Amino acid sequence: MSTAHPTRYHPVSVLLHWVLGLALIGLFAVGLYMTDLPFSPQRLKLYNWHKWAGVTLLALSAFRLAWRLTHRPPPLPPAIEVAMPRWQQLAHHATHHGLYLLFFAVPLLGWAYSSAAGFPIVLFGVLPLPDFVPVSEELAGLIKPLHKLSAFTMMALVLLHVAGALKHQLIDRDGLLARMGLGRR
């Protein structure tokens, strides 16, 4: 039996990484766009789509976390780990932990805001989801900026994650991106 560690992430991990990453960026962009629209059927349609996508990504994030807890990622290659300064290793881990936290916080805050504002989520227009909190204009006013702040924080971490990956690919040229299915090692 081999004791060698895999050098790449499992294909399911790779698929979840890219699907969730691209979907989060798209959902953030739609969120920015829809908030500036005047009240219209288009705005209502986008708000409903945003909620559906948020709940779907919440479910995928739960699956991703369960997968991650049961399928350990490959360790950093020793040469990369030795070459990375301690602050980069800490940033690497903090960014990943922050992203996982925000994968849940952002949609749950959005769901709570929608509940407090009195706009229930009806998934795909057919499945009513329970309200998280009672209808309360005051509570909605408290939650709305938290949803926005957490979404912007998540996008900042996504940008930091992408910048780190590009640094490894373009400056360090250490093949780290190959672990997530891009390029050869």
Side-chain angles (χ1 to χ4, degrees):
M1 183 185 293
S2 172
T3 59
H5 293 287
T7 58
R8 290 178 178 246
Y9 281 84
H10 188 280
V12 171
S13 299
V14 172
L15 179 66
L16 287 169
H17 174 270
W18 290 108
V19 167
L20 284 168
L22 294 172
L24 287 170
I25 292 167
L27 192 54
F28 181 76
V30 168
L32 287 176
Y33 174 73
M34 71 186 193
T35 58
D36 288 334
L37 290 176
F39 186 77
S40 66
Q42 176 69 11
R43 181 178 172 150
L44 293 174
K45 180 178 164 183
L46 287 174
Y47 265 83
N48 281 321
W49 181 87
H50 184 80
K51 292 182 203 182
W52 302 342
V55 170
T56 302
L57 290 180
L58 177 62
L60 282 173
S61 294
F63 178 72
R64 182 178 182 175
L65 179 60
W67 183 267
R68 171 69 169 76
L69 293 172
T70 57
H71 296 79
R72 292 191 54 83
L76 281 174
I80 293 174
E81 194 163 9
V82 168
M84 280 176 66
R86 181 75 179 138
W87 71 267
Q88 282 184 10
Q89 291 178 27
L90 291 172
H92 163 82
H93 292 294
T95 300
H96 283 93
H97 286 104
L99 283 169
Y100 270 98
L101 174 71
L102 291 167
F103 289 160
F104 294 92
V106 174
L108 290 173
L109 284 166
W111 191 343
Y113 168 64
S114 189
S115 297
F119 298 109
I121 298 174
V122 182
L123 194 59
F124 307 118
V126 294
L127 179 64
L129 299 180
D131 286 332
F132 257 24
V133 297
V135 174
S136 165
E137 190 176 324
E138 184 180 342
L139 184 58
L142 292 172
I143 297 172
K144 184 178 182 179
L146 293 175
H147 177 62
K148 182 178 179 179
L149 176 64
S150 64
F152 274 91
T153 302
M154 182 163 50
M155 281 305 104
L157 289 180
V158 166
L159 289 173
L160 185 61
H161 179 69
V162 169
L166 290 174
K167 177 213 175 266
H168 279 281
Q169 185 68 22
L170 303 174
I171 296 171
D172 298 343
R173 298 181 185 266
D174 56 18
L176 193 64
L177 272 177
R179 292 165 26 104
M180 197 43 79
L182 293 179
R184 296 182 153 211
R185 180 78 180 134

